[in-house]
Amino acid sequence: MLDLTKVDHEEYVKPAMRRDLFKKAKDFSLKAALTSAPFALAAMPGIVKAQASSVNDVLNFALTLEYLEDEFYTMALKSPDLKIPESDKNIFMQIQKHESAHVAFLKGALGMNAVSKPTFDFTAGGAFPTAFTEYQTFLALAQAFEDTGVRAYKGQAGNLMSSDGTLTAALNIHSVEARHASVVRRLRGLNGWITGNDRGTGMPAATQAVYNGEENTTQAGVALASITKVTGNGLSEAFDEPLTKDQVLAIATLFIKK
């Protein structure tokens, strides 16, 4: 793995300089890495401009969330006591594959810097004892995790703006998480979008933190009601709000064993 904190950005600004890197790379492992991943050179200027530790922190934050989702769906699909309707099972099998692919991608991007998978408790210390025995509880948690993921990726986008390649990958994952959230919400008989800060019928009170702030009707300092004829719930529904890292961790740590 390249240690981006030790790389001089100027070495990658011009194509000629990039070619010269191969001449300077005497270490076999470095040559192999550069040869096997030529796309990395094209993205290098944006990546190197970013603070490597900051990018790694964001990617590890995302990886922890993807670990959680991947493990949640994997355990659910293996649970003999959770009776997922046949009409819905293929949906969750596909979602699990997506989450597994996200984990693999983020681990590959981070290499040796990737955090280890935590040990999860999806009952949250007993708050959700039927997570893998009652389908409605499973659906409620799936909704909470997916809605959290959407807001979490949005909240970190600004921290990746100095790394074009990383930002693009994160936004690609973000859009898939949004599709997951929409389909899970519809399986629960809800709209595919969030109205105000309403968590939806049947959602445990402990999941309210996932939705707080979604009632916002001011964007970039502009009161939406002053520039559109849209009123009421439509104002908040038209925009999704980001969550900060601390807000996301407060939600996720409920399901991580200490």
Side-chain angles (χ1 to χ4, degrees):
M1 294 297 296
L2 292 173
D3 185 346
L4 299 183
T5 63
K6 298 179 181 178
V7 178
D8 182 359
H9 169 59
E10 295 302 321
E11 288 288 336
Y12 300 91
V13 174
K14 298 179 180 179
M17 290 181 176
R18 296 179 198 166
R19 289 193 297 270
D20 190 52
L21 174 65
F22 284 93
K23 298 178 182 179
K24 295 180 180 180
K26 296 180 180 180
D27 180 74
F28 176 79
S29 61
L30 176 55
K31 286 183 178 179
L34 293 172
T35 304
S36 63
F39 67 87
L41 291 180
M44 194 62 77
I47 294 175
V48 176
K49 280 192 297 184
Q51 292 293 323
S53 59
S54 175
V55 172
N56 283 348
D57 286 347
V58 172
L59 293 183
N60 270 317
F61 170 63
L63 177 58
T64 299
L65 293 179
E66 297 296 346
Y67 276 142
L68 182 149
E69 291 179 321
D70 182 31
E71 182 78 0
F72 175 69
Y73 292 117
T74 297
M75 291 181 65
L77 289 166
K78 290 182 178 179
S79 174
D81 299 319
L82 181 61
K83 307 304 181 184
I84 300 177
E86 288 299 319
S87 58
D88 299 349
K89 185 170 293 185
N90 284 338
I91 294 174
F92 288 109
M93 290 175 66
Q94 192 62 44
I95 289 177
Q96 188 277 326
K97 290 177 182 178
H98 292 168
E99 306 299 4
S100 180
H102 295 166
V103 168
F105 169 77
L106 291 169
K107 288 180 68 176
L110 284 160
M112 295 178 62
N113 294 315
V115 295
S116 300
K117 183 169 73 172
T119 299
F120 296 107
D121 172 17
F122 293 105
T123 72
F128 306 99
T130 59
F132 297 129
T133 57
E134 291 186 5
Y135 186 52
Q136 291 305 315
T137 303
F138 161 76
L139 275 182
L141 287 175
Q143 177 187 316
F145 293 150
E146 297 297 347
D147 284 340
T148 298
V150 174
R151 298 185 69 186
Y153 273 98
K154 179 172 287 189
Q156 293 303 308
N159 295 327
L160 297 174
M161 289 182 66
S162 58
S163 176
D164 291 344
T166 306
L167 176 59
T168 298
L171 291 177
N172 287 343
I173 294 176
H174 168 266
S175 63
V176 174
E177 295 295 341
R179 296 176 194 276
H180 292 173
S182 181
V183 72
V184 170
R185 293 176 64 84
R186 291 184 184 280
L187 288 177
R188 296 192 67 242
L190 304 172
N191 288 327
W193 54 84
I194 299 171
T195 298
N197 64 359
D198 184 11
R199 62 183 183 270
T201 304
M203 288 289 285
T207 64
Q208 184 58 49
V210 177
Y211 303 95
N212 290 340
E214 284 283 16
E215 70 275 15
N216 179 44
T217 58
T218 298
Q219 298 292 330
V222 178
L224 299 178
S226 68
I227 60 172
T228 177
K229 295 181 179 180
V230 178
T231 59
N233 291 331
L235 292 175
S236 67
E237 291 173 344
F239 295 84
D240 237 353
E241 300 300 317
L243 285 174
T244 67
K245 184 176 180 179
D246 287 343
Q247 288 173 321
V248 174
L249 290 178
I251 296 167
T253 52
L254 293 175
F255 302 92
I256 299 176
K257 289 185 177 180
K258 303 297 184 182

Coordinates of all heavy atoms in Angstrom, one line a residue, residues 72-120:
F72 N -25.9 -7.6 9.4 CA -27.3 -7.6 9.8 C -28.1 -8.5 8.8 O -28.9 -9.4 9.2 CB -27.9 -6.2 9.8 CG -29.4 -6.1 10.0 CD1 -29.9 -6.5 11.3 CD2 -30.2 -5.7 9.0 CE1 -31.3 -6.4 11.5 CE2 -31.6 -5.6 9.2 CZ -32.1 -5.9 10.4
Y73 N -27.9 -8.2 7.5 CA -28.6 -9.0 6.5 C -28.2 -10.5 6.4 O -29.0 -11.4 6.2 CB -28.5 -8.3 5.1 CG -29.3 -7.0 5.1 CD1 -28.6 -5.8 4.9 CD2 -30.6 -6.9 5.3 CE1 -29.2 -4.6 4.8 CE2 -31.3 -5.7 5.3 CZ -30.6 -4.6 5.0 OH -31.3 -3.4 5.0
T74 N -26.9 -10.7 6.6 CA -26.3 -12.0 6.6 C -27.0 -12.9 7.7 O -27.4 -14.0 7.4 CB -24.8 -12.0 6.7 OG1 -24.2 -11.3 5.6 CG2 -24.2 -13.4 6.7
M75 N -27.0 -12.3 8.9 CA -27.6 -13.0 10.0 C -29.1 -13.3 9.8 O -29.6 -14.3 10.1 CB -27.3 -12.3 11.3 CG -25.8 -12.3 11.7 SD -25.6 -11.4 13.3 CE -26.5 -12.4 14.4
A76 N -29.7 -12.3 9.3 CA -31.2 -12.4 9.1 C -31.5 -13.5 8.1 O -32.4 -14.3 8.3 CB -31.8 -11.0 8.6
L77 N -30.8 -13.5 7.0 CA -31.0 -14.5 6.0 C -30.7 -15.9 6.4 O -31.3 -16.9 5.9 CB -30.3 -14.2 4.7 CG -30.8 -12.9 3.9 CD1 -29.7 -12.5 2.9 CD2 -32.1 -13.2 3.3
K78 N -29.8 -16.0 7.4 CA -29.5 -17.4 8.0 C -30.3 -17.8 9.1 O -30.3 -18.9 9.6 CB -28.0 -17.3 8.4 CG -27.0 -17.3 7.2 CD -25.6 -17.3 7.7 CE -24.6 -17.3 6.6 NZ -23.2 -17.3 7.0
S79 N -31.1 -16.8 9.7 CA -31.9 -17.2 10.9 C -33.0 -18.1 10.6 O -33.9 -17.8 9.7 CB -32.4 -15.9 11.5 OG -33.3 -16.2 12.6
P80 N -33.1 -19.3 11.2 CA -34.2 -20.2 11.0 C -35.5 -19.7 11.5 O -36.6 -20.2 11.1 CB -33.7 -21.5 11.7 CG -32.8 -21.0 12.8 CD -32.1 -19.8 12.2
D81 N -35.5 -18.8 12.5 CA -36.7 -18.3 13.1 C -37.3 -17.1 12.5 O -38.4 -16.7 12.8 CB -36.4 -18.0 14.6 CG -35.9 -19.2 15.4 OD1 -36.4 -20.3 15.1 OD2 -34.9 -19.1 16.1
L82 N -36.6 -16.5 11.6 CA -37.1 -15.3 10.9 C -37.8 -15.7 9.6 O -37.1 -16.1 8.6 CB -36.0 -14.3 10.6 CG -36.4 -13.0 9.9 CD1 -37.4 -12.2 10.8 CD2 -35.2 -12.1 9.6
K83 N -39.0 -15.5 9.5 CA -39.8 -16.0 8.4 C -40.0 -14.8 7.4 O -41.0 -14.1 7.4 CB -41.2 -16.5 8.8 CG -41.1 -17.6 9.8 CD -40.2 -18.8 9.4 CE -40.2 -19.9 10.5 NZ -39.2 -21.0 10.1
I84 N -39.0 -14.6 6.5 CA -39.1 -13.6 5.5 C -40.0 -14.1 4.4 O -39.7 -15.2 3.9 CB -37.7 -13.2 5.0 CG1 -36.8 -12.7 6.1 CG2 -37.8 -12.2 3.9 CD1 -35.4 -12.4 5.6
P85 N -41.0 -13.4 4.1 CA -41.9 -13.8 3.0 C -41.1 -14.1 1.7 O -40.2 -13.4 1.4 CB -42.9 -12.6 2.8 CG -42.9 -11.9 4.1 CD -41.5 -12.1 4.6
E86 N -41.5 -15.1 1.0 CA -40.8 -15.5 -0.2 C -40.8 -14.3 -1.2 O -39.8 -14.1 -2.0 CB -41.4 -16.7 -0.9 CG -41.2 -18.0 -0.2 CD -39.7 -18.3 -0.1 OE1 -39.0 -18.1 -1.1 OE2 -39.3 -18.8 1.0
S87 N -41.8 -13.5 -1.2 CA -41.9 -12.4 -2.1 C -40.9 -11.3 -1.8 O -40.5 -10.5 -2.7 CB -43.3 -11.7 -2.1 OG -43.6 -11.3 -0.7
D88 N -40.4 -11.3 -0.6 CA -39.4 -10.3 -0.2 C -38.0 -10.8 0.0 O -37.0 -10.0 0.0 CB -39.8 -9.7 1.2 CG -41.1 -9.0 1.2 OD1 -41.7 -8.8 0.1 OD2 -41.7 -8.7 2.3
K89 N -37.8 -12.1 0.0 CA -36.5 -12.7 0.3 C -35.5 -12.3 -0.7 O -34.3 -12.0 -0.4 CB -36.6 -14.2 0.4 CG -35.3 -14.9 0.9 CD -35.6 -16.4 1.2 CE -36.4 -16.5 2.5 NZ -36.5 -18.0 2.9
N90 N -35.9 -12.4 -2.0 CA -34.9 -12.1 -3.0 C -34.4 -10.6 -2.9 O -33.2 -10.3 -3.3 CB -35.5 -12.3 -4.4 CG -35.5 -13.8 -4.8 OD1 -34.8 -14.6 -4.2 ND2 -36.4 -14.2 -5.7
I91 N -35.3 -9.7 -2.5 CA -34.9 -8.3 -2.3 C -33.8 -8.2 -1.3 O -32.7 -7.6 -1.5 CB -36.1 -7.5 -1.8 CG1 -37.1 -7.4 -2.9 CG2 -35.6 -6.1 -1.4 CD1 -38.4 -6.7 -2.5
F92 N -33.9 -8.9 -0.1 CA -32.9 -8.8 0.9 C -31.7 -9.6 0.6 O -30.6 -9.3 1.0 CB -33.5 -9.3 2.3 CG -34.5 -8.3 2.8 CD1 -35.8 -8.5 2.8 CD2 -34.0 -7.0 3.2 CE1 -36.7 -7.6 3.3 CE2 -34.9 -6.1 3.7 CZ -36.3 -6.3 3.7
M93 N -31.8 -10.6 -0.2 CA -30.6 -11.4 -0.7 C -29.8 -10.4 -1.6 O -28.5 -10.4 -1.5 CB -31.0 -12.6 -1.5 CG -31.6 -13.7 -0.6 SD -32.2 -15.1 -1.5 CE -30.6 -15.8 -2.2
Q94 N -30.4 -9.6 -2.4 CA -29.7 -8.7 -3.3 C -29.1 -7.6 -2.5 O -28.0 -7.2 -2.8 CB -30.7 -8.2 -4.4 CG -29.9 -7.4 -5.5 CD -29.0 -8.3 -6.2 OE1 -29.3 -9.5 -6.6 NE2 -27.8 -7.9 -6.5
I95 N -29.9 -7.1 -1.5 CA -29.3 -6.0 -0.7 C -28.1 -6.5 0.1 O -27.1 -5.7 0.1 CB -30.4 -5.5 0.3 CG1 -31.5 -4.7 -0.4 CG2 -29.7 -4.6 1.4 CD1 -32.6 -4.2 0.5
Q96 N -28.1 -7.7 0.6 CA -27.0 -8.2 1.3 C -25.7 -8.3 0.4 O -24.6 -8.0 0.8 CB -27.3 -9.6 1.8 CG -26.2 -10.2 2.8 CD -25.1 -10.9 2.0 OE1 -25.3 -11.5 0.9 NE2 -23.9 -10.8 2.5
K97 N -26.0 -8.7 -0.9 CA -24.9 -8.8 -1.9 C -24.3 -7.4 -2.1 O -23.1 -7.2 -2.2 CB -25.3 -9.4 -3.2 CG -25.7 -10.9 -3.1 CD -26.2 -11.4 -4.4 CE -26.6 -12.8 -4.4 NZ -27.2 -13.3 -5.6
H98 N -25.1 -6.4 -2.2 CA -24.7 -5.0 -2.3 C -23.8 -4.6 -1.1 O -22.7 -4.0 -1.3 CB -25.8 -4.0 -2.4 CG -26.6 -4.2 -3.7 ND1 -27.9 -3.6 -3.8 CD2 -26.4 -4.9 -4.8 CE1 -28.4 -3.9 -5.0 NE2 -27.5 -4.7 -5.6
E99 N -24.3 -4.9 0.1 CA -23.5 -4.5 1.3 C -22.2 -5.2 1.3 O -21.2 -4.6 1.7 CB -24.3 -4.7 2.5 CG -25.7 -4.1 2.6 CD -25.8 -2.6 2.5 OE1 -24.7 -2.0 2.3 OE2 -26.9 -2.1 2.5
S100 N -22.2 -6.5 1.0 CA -20.9 -7.2 0.9 C -20.0 -6.6 -0.1 O -18.8 -6.6 0.2 CB -21.2 -8.7 0.6 OG -20.1 -9.5 0.6
A101 N -20.5 -6.2 -1.2 CA -19.6 -5.6 -2.2 C -19.0 -4.3 -1.7 O -17.9 -3.9 -2.0 CB -20.4 -5.4 -3.5
H102 N -19.8 -3.5 -1.0 CA -19.4 -2.2 -0.4 C -18.2 -2.5 0.6 O -17.2 -1.8 0.6 CB -20.5 -1.5 0.3 CG -21.6 -1.1 -0.6 ND1 -22.8 -0.6 -0.2 CD2 -21.6 -1.0 -2.0 CE1 -23.6 -0.3 -1.2 NE2 -22.9 -0.5 -2.3
V103 N -18.4 -3.5 1.4 CA -17.4 -3.9 2.4 C -16.1 -4.3 1.7 O -15.0 -3.8 2.0 CB -17.8 -5.1 3.3 CG1 -16.7 -5.6 4.1 CG2 -18.9 -4.6 4.2
A104 N -16.2 -5.1 0.7 CA -15.0 -5.5 -0.1 C -14.3 -4.4 -0.7 O -13.1 -4.3 -0.7 CB -15.4 -6.6 -1.1
F105 N -15.1 -3.4 -1.3 CA -14.5 -2.3 -1.9 C -13.7 -1.4 -0.9 O -12.6 -1.0 -1.2 CB -15.5 -1.4 -2.7 CG -15.0 -0.1 -3.1 CD1 -14.2 0.0 -4.2 CD2 -15.3 1.0 -2.4 CE1 -13.7 1.2 -4.7 CE2 -14.8 2.3 -2.8 CZ -14.0 2.4 -3.9
L106 N -14.4 -1.1 0.2 CA -13.8 -0.2 1.2 C -12.5 -0.8 1.8 O -11.5 -0.1 2.0 CB -14.8 0.2 2.2 CG -15.9 1.1 1.7 CD1 -17.1 1.2 2.8 CD2 -15.4 2.5 1.4
K107 N -12.6 -2.1 2.1 CA -11.4 -2.8 2.6 C -10.3 -2.8 1.6 O -9.1 -2.6 2.0 CB -11.8 -4.2 3.0 CG -12.7 -4.4 4.2 CD -13.0 -5.8 4.6 CE -11.7 -6.6 5.0 NZ -12.1 -8.0 5.4
G108 N -10.6 -3.0 0.4 CA -9.6 -2.9 -0.7 C -9.0 -1.6 -0.8 O -7.8 -1.4 -1.0
A109 N -9.8 -0.5 -0.7 CA -9.3 0.8 -0.8 C -8.4 1.2 0.4 O -7.4 1.9 0.2 CB -10.5 1.8 -0.9
L110 N -8.8 0.7 1.5 CA -8.0 1.1 2.7 C -6.8 0.2 3.0 O -5.8 0.6 3.6 CB -8.9 1.0 4.0 CG -9.9 2.1 4.1 CD1 -11.1 1.7 5.0 CD2 -9.2 3.3 4.7
G111 N -6.8 -1.0 2.4 CA -5.7 -2.0 2.6 C -5.4 -2.2 4.1 O -6.4 -2.5 4.9
M112 N -4.2 -2.1 4.5 CA -3.8 -2.3 5.9 C -4.4 -1.3 6.9 O -4.3 -1.5 8.1 CB -2.3 -2.3 6.0 CG -1.6 -3.5 5.2 SD 0.2 -3.4 5.3 CE 0.5 -3.6 7.1
N113 N -4.9 -0.2 6.4 CA -5.5 0.8 7.2 C -7.0 0.5 7.6 O -7.6 1.3 8.4 CB -5.4 2.2 6.6 CG -4.0 2.6 6.4 OD1 -3.2 2.5 7.3 ND2 -3.7 3.1 5.2
A114 N -7.5 -0.6 7.0 CA -8.9 -0.9 7.3 C -9.2 -1.3 8.7 O -8.4 -2.1 9.3 CB -9.4 -2.0 6.3
V115 N -10.2 -0.8 9.3 CA -10.5 -1.2 10.7 C -11.1 -2.6 10.7 O -11.7 -3.1 9.6 CB -11.6 -0.3 11.4 CG1 -11.0 1.1 11.6 CG2 -12.8 -0.2 10.5
S116 N -11.0 -3.3 11.8 CA -11.6 -4.7 11.9 C -13.1 -4.6 12.1 O -13.6 -3.6 12.6 CB -10.9 -5.4 13.0 OG -9.5 -5.6 12.8
K117 N -13.8 -5.6 11.7 CA -15.2 -5.7 11.9 C -15.5 -5.8 13.4 O -15.0 -6.7 14.1 CB -15.8 -6.9 11.2 CG -17.4 -6.9 11.3 CD -18.0 -7.9 10.3 CE -17.7 -9.3 10.8 NZ -18.5 -10.3 10.0
P118 N -16.4 -4.9 13.9 CA -16.8 -5.0 15.3 C -17.7 -6.2 15.6 O -18.1 -6.9 14.6 CB -17.6 -3.7 15.5 CG -17.3 -2.8 14.4 CD -17.0 -3.7 13.2
T119 N -17.9 -6.5 16.8 CA -18.9 -7.5 17.2 C -20.2 -6.8 17.4 O -20.3 -5.8 18.2 CB -18.4 -8.2 18.5 OG1 -17.2 -8.8 18.3 CG2 -19.5 -9.2 18.9
F120 N -21.2 -7.2 16.7 CA -22.5 -6.5 16.8 C -23.5 -7.2 17.6 O -23.5 -8.5 17.8 CB -23.1 -6.4 15.3 CG -22.2 -5.5 14.4 CD1 -21.5 -6.1 13.4 CD2 -22.2 -4.2 14.6 CE1 -20.7 -5.4 12.6 CE2 -21.4 -3.4 13.7 CZ -20.7 -4.0 12.7

